[in-house]
């Protein structure tokens, strides 16, 4: 069985190990959603990951409702991403851009007062992060079928821009209760047209978006993130296993390079499992590289590889506090703890000031 430290070829991407950096929203862009020089340092510090998947990056203003999160729909954003990508490449790393539409989780404050879009006219629970603090979510506007070609073009544009910025590939964010997930699951998709009702119909938008992205980036540089288990941000499904197995089969038929999945781990950091893991059934129908993300450490991640459950493991919050995570796993060294208070703050504290193992020992 492969080690976490072994290289792996994923489509057209050569990864030097199987310790991937999962997407992590950090809020260090400008108010106009333009990446900053601080982000160059942050991503370069983590270039020893097999592949870095960037923080979720908006495909349009319509789809981006998180303060100080980056976008990739205009030229200024593309130019600001270029030094980030170059810094990672200069250190021998690989970096993939995760592209994002937040669906009903975009507050109208980001849309000049207009409602967000979703599969159906539903309202997310809890409250949205805005520049004026937390505010209740608003009811979404059900996206008419005639607007879907326009949405697909937004995904194509974001993909063209990501490739122009030099990224090694693109990952479609189809998880965690955002737009595509809202179409997938029957708790938020109440449609009666070709995008609702049956599993085949609810998977349709995911397939069409994936085909549109793969058309631009190439199938061998396209990935998808799904969260196949449990309620998250008010989005859930009554019968998730056949739904997500069908989604995995559709993605395999498109021929994408990798599928990364977020299932709640044994500690239930984000989201809570209400069903046995669905990833094993999905792996049986998906022909590409399977990456799992579920609160792993080095030993449990290796155990997942040993069991044949995954081809690589994506680590999220662990990479926040451990920029040299592969070295720490290789040395079986203690892992530093991240500080939740600085997850989304705008400065360097809790972002680029976590020491490497070498620096910690020198101190």
């Amino acid at each position: 069985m492969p080690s976490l430290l072994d290289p792996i070829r994923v489509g057209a991407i050569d990864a030097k190990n199987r310790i991937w950096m999962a997407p992590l929203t950090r809020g260090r862009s400008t108010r106009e959603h333009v990446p900053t020089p601080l982000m160059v340092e942050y991503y370069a510090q983590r270039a020893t990951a097999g592949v870095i998947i960037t923080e979720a990056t908006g495909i349009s203003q319509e789809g981006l409702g998180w303060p100080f999160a980056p976008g990739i729909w205009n030229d200024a954003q593309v130019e600001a991403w270029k030094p980030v990508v170059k810094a990672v490449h200069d250190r021998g790393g690989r970096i993939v851009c995760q592209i994002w539409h937040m669906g009903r989780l975009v507050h109208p404050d980001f849309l000049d007062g207009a409602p967000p879009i979703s599969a159906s006219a539903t309202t997310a629970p809890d409250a949205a992060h805005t520049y004026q603090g937390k505010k209740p979510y608003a009811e979404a506007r059900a996206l008419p079928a005639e607007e879907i070609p326009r949405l697909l073009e937004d995904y194509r544009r974001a993909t063209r821009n990501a490739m122009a910025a030099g990224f090694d590939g693109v990952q479609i964010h189809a998880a965690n209760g955002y737009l595509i997930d809202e179409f997938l699951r029957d708790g938020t998709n109440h449609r009666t047209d070709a995008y609702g009702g049956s599993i085949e119909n609810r998977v349709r938008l995911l397939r069409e978006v994936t085909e549109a992205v793969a058309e631009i980036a190439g199938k061998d540089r396209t990935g998808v993130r799904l969260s196949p288990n449990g309620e998250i941000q008010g989005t859930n499904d009554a019968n998730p296993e056949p739904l997500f197995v069908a989604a995995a089969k559709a993605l395999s038929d498109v021929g994408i390079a990798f599928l990364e999945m977020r299932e709640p781990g044994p500690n239930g950091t984000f989201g809570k499992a209400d069903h046995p893991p669905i990833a094993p059934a999905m792996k049986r129908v998906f022909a590409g590289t399977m990456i799992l993300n579920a609160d792993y450490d080095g030993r449990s991640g290796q155990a997942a590889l040993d069991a044949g459950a995954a081809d690589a493991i994506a680590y999220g919050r662990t990479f926040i506090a451990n920029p040299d995570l592969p070295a720490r796993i290789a040395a079986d060294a203690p892992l530093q703890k991240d500080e939740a208070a600085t997850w989304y703050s705008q400065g360097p504290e809790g972002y680029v000031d976590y020491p490497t193992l070498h620096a910690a020992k020198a101190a």
Side-chain angles (χ1 to χ4, degrees), residues 23-25 53-57 59 97-102 155 170-181 184 206 209 213 223-227 232-233 260 262:
L24 294 157
T25 295
I53 305 174
T54 70
E55 62 205 281
T57 301
I59 65 168
C97 185
Q98 187 191 67
I99 56 175
W100 194 27
H101 193 301
M102 294 175 64
Y155 276 98
V170 170
Q171 185 196 56
I172 300 159
H173 195 340
N176 297 0
Y178 297 116
L179 181 66
I180 296 174
D181 206 18
L184 285 172
L206 169 66
V209 168
V213 168
V224 169
R225 172 178 251 218
L226 294 172
S227 50
I232 188 162
Q233 303 197 97
E260 184 226 355
R262 175 75 177 121

Side-chain angles (χ1 to χ4, degrees), residues 116-182:
I117 65 168
S118 185
S120 301
T122 61
T123 306
D126 304 320
H129 291 272
T130 77
Y131 289 114
Q132 291 78 42
K134 287 195 170 185
K135 295 185 179 182
Y137 287 108
E139 182 177 90
R141 173 176 71 91
L143 184 68
E146 56 267 25
E147 288 190 42
I148 287 178
R150 179 270 295 175
L151 175 69
L152 297 178
E153 188 51 42
D154 286 346
Y155 276 98
R156 290 189 187 96
R157 179 184 60 194
T159 305
R160 287 189 197 98
N161 287 345
M163 302 314 289
F167 282 102
D168 296 292
V170 170
Q171 185 196 56
I172 300 159
H173 195 340
N176 297 0
Y178 297 116
L179 181 66
I180 296 174
D181 206 18
E182 292 161 16

Side-chain angles (χ1 to χ4, degrees), residues 26-29 36 38 67-68 342-349 351:
R26 301 305 310 276
R28 262 68 176 194
S29 297
T36 59
L38 194 60
F68 301 105
T342 56
W343 283 353
Y344 310 126
S345 56
Q346 278 72 70
E349 183 183 358
Y351 191 61

Side-chain angles (χ1 to χ4, degrees), residues 119 174-190 194-207 224-232 235-253 259 261 263 274-279 281-283 285-286:
N176 297 0
Y178 297 116
L179 181 66
I180 296 174
D181 206 18
E182 292 161 16
F183 270 80
L184 285 172
R185 306 206 214 191
D186 60 15
T188 42
N189 185 336
H190 309 151
Y195 292 88
S198 68
I199 286 175
E200 179 184 6
N201 283 357
R202 285 183 279 130
V203 170
R204 191 181 307 277
L205 182 66
L206 169 66
R207 192 187 70 245
V224 169
R225 172 178 251 218
L226 294 172
S227 50
N229 199 347
E231 182 274 333
I232 188 162
T235 300
N236 208 351
D237 194 81
N239 192 12
E241 183 160 339
L243 168 65
F244 284 102
V245 169
K249 179 62 167 61
L251 295 172
S252 189
D253 290 345
L259 175 58
M261 289 188 295
E263 286 194 289
D274 56 9
H275 190 282
I278 300 170
M282 296 170 71
K283 193 174 191 302
V285 301
F286 182 71

Side-chain angles (χ1 to χ4, degrees), residues 210 214 218-222 249-258 286-288:
T210 305
K219 297 175 183 179
D220 54 359
R221 295 186 182 275
T222 299
K249 179 62 167 61
L251 295 172
S252 189
D253 290 345
V254 173
I256 64 169
F258 69 92
F286 182 71

